[in-house]
């Protein structure tokens, strides 16, 4: 079993190795798996409710990939780990980019044109940051003043301000779909 050289990460990420067809195919498979998982699974349903399980499955997949490289390619643990880090980096970058692009441009709330902060199309973290001093009502009041009675406040959330009559009309319109 070959042990890792002191500068194995430099060798692994060198332009010569990144042009290696095997390494390129593994990076491409990681990226393809991310897009496939996003459009085949994560786009349907409320997966944020299962975050701990999804995290554990990703850790298991990472460890399994390291073990696969270690056993099947007869390399040391360090080179196997570093290659797995590269492949999972490609996977996670592609997955998060795919989710962000979908939410920003193609999500039904984006296509419907609900106004709101641009970051709200992608995540609700902006709202948590804006309300860090426990004054959510002031943030929402400012959003109403800036964007009107219908404001997109999250990737799958629209907040409705104004009279109950407007809400009833909106819910009737939604039920007609």
């Amino acid at each position: 079993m070959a042990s890792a050289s002191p500068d194995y990460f430099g060798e692994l990420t060198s332009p010569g190795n990144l042009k290696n067809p095997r390494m390129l195919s593994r990076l491409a498979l990681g990226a393809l798996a991310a897009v496939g998982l996003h459009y085949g699974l994560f786009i349907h349903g409320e997966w944020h409710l299962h975050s701990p399980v999804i995290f554990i499955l990703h850790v298991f997949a990472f460890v399994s990939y390291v073990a696969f490289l270690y056993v099947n390619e007869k390399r040391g643990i360090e080179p196997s780990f570093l290659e797995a880090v590269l492949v999972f980096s490609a996977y996670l970058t592609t997955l998060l980019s795919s989710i962000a692009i979908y939410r920003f441009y193609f999500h039904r709330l984006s296509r419907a044109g609900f106004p709101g902060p641009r970051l709200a199309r992608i995540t609700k973290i902006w709202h948590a940051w804006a309300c860090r001093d426990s004054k959510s009502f002031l943030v929402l009041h400012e959003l109403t003043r800036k964007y009107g009675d219908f404001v997109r406040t999250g990737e799958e959330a629209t907040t409705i301000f104004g009279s109950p009559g407007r809400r009833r009309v909106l819910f009737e319109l939604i039920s007609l779909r």
Side-chain angles (χ1 to χ4, degrees), residues 67-156:
F68 169 80
L69 292 173
Y70 179 74
V71 170
N72 288 342
E73 298 197 1
K74 308 287 189 234
R75 291 195 274 168
I77 194 69
E78 185 181 354
S80 300
F81 179 80
L82 291 173
E83 184 172 323
V85 166
L86 275 178
V87 171
F88 263 67
S89 296
Y91 165 80
L92 288 175
T93 301
T94 306
L95 179 65
L96 296 175
S97 298
S98 176
I99 290 171
I101 289 167
Y102 172 78
R103 288 179 178 173
F104 201 82
Y105 295 107
F106 304 112
H107 191 277
R108 64 185 180 274
L109 292 177
S110 291
R111 290 191 321 255
F114 285 104
R118 287 190 180 277
L119 202 52
R121 294 178 181 186
I122 299 170
T123 182
K124 286 192 105 170
I125 292 173
W126 75 272
H127 194 244
W129 180 257
C131 300
R132 65 191 180 279
D133 57 355
S134 300
K135 295 188 178 170
S136 180
F137 66 95
L138 292 176
V139 172
L140 294 175
H141 177 73
E142 179 62 25
L143 290 175
T144 306
R145 190 185 64 69
K146 188 172 182 180
Y147 297 108
D149 289 340
F150 298 93
V151 180
R152 184 168 183 183
T153 55
E155 65 273 11
E156 295 202 17

